[in-house]
Amino acid sequence: MDMARAGAGGRGGGGRKPGGLTPEEQAEAELRDVMKHPANAICADCSAPKPRFASITLAIFLCNRCYGLHRGVGAHVTRTKCVALDRWSLLEVQRMRRVGNSVAAAYWERNVPAEYARPTPESCNDVVEKWIRDKYEKKLFCSPDSSPPSFS
């Protein structure tokens, strides 16, 4: 064993507590657990399976296409991350756990008219983009007398 690396200040510990995970490892493990919830196993906007991205401002999980459309809407409405490649803080993961797709939908989709065309994985990009902009940017479907899901 390389004693210089194993001691304080060396890379041997890596910020790891004895017998525990680093904060980054803990956040990754918790995020994987949050994604196991059935509502989080599909895209919050088009219901495509196995989302790989998320909006950390809206605390929802997204497919590749909806991720790109959210980026186009702008960071003033929705800020996105890759689930597997980006670093996540424990606070961000806790927000995702508290809100997630089902709590977010209860707020953002509360007053969707029955005749409104909700997108599917097969919908064209224009339909999905309209849904995303109407839902989050224009706030057409949320109740005017309630606040967005709490992040605190």
Side-chain angles (χ1 to χ4, degrees), residues 5-138:
R5 292 190 64 176
R11 292 188 43 90
R16 188 182 311 267
K17 296 176 185 170
L21 301 173
T22 66
E24 292 84 13
E25 290 169 335
Q26 184 179 356
E28 288 173 20
E30 287 190 31
L31 187 59
R32 282 192 302 272
D33 185 57
V34 171
M35 291 187 72
K36 290 178 184 174
H37 187 281
N40 297 335
I42 60 171
C43 176
D45 289 322
C46 76
S47 300
K50 300 179 182 176
R52 298 182 339 201
F53 301 91
S55 167
I56 57 173
T57 44
L58 301 170
I60 57 172
F61 292 96
L62 304 166
C63 69
N64 186 49
R65 173 182 52 180
C66 291
Y67 160 78
L69 294 171
H70 273 255
R71 287 179 54 117
V73 170
H76 65 290
V77 174
T78 175
R79 194 165 62 94
T80 57
K81 279 192 168 187
C82 181
V83 169
L85 299 177
D86 289 323
R87 282 199 169 169
W88 288 72
S89 72
L90 283 173
L91 179 61
E92 290 168 336
V93 174
Q94 289 165 356
R95 287 177 179 170
M96 298 300 290
R97 183 181 299 282
R98 274 193 297 278
V99 180
N101 290 358
S102 58
V103 171
Y107 173 76
W108 294 105
E109 300 177 22
R110 183 173 181 172
N111 298 316
V112 177
E115 67 278 0
Y116 192 96
R118 292 176 183 252
T120 68
E122 293 78 29
S123 297
C124 69
N125 285 352
D126 290 344
V127 169
V128 181
E129 182 176 4
K130 180 178 180 352
W131 168 254
I132 290 169
R133 289 190 181 276
D134 285 352
K135 186 172 165 181
Y136 306 113
E137 188 177 42
K138 297 177 184 175

Side-chain angles (χ1 to χ4, degrees), residues 1-7 12:
M1 175 180 203
D2 183 352
M3 297 307 282
R5 292 190 64 176

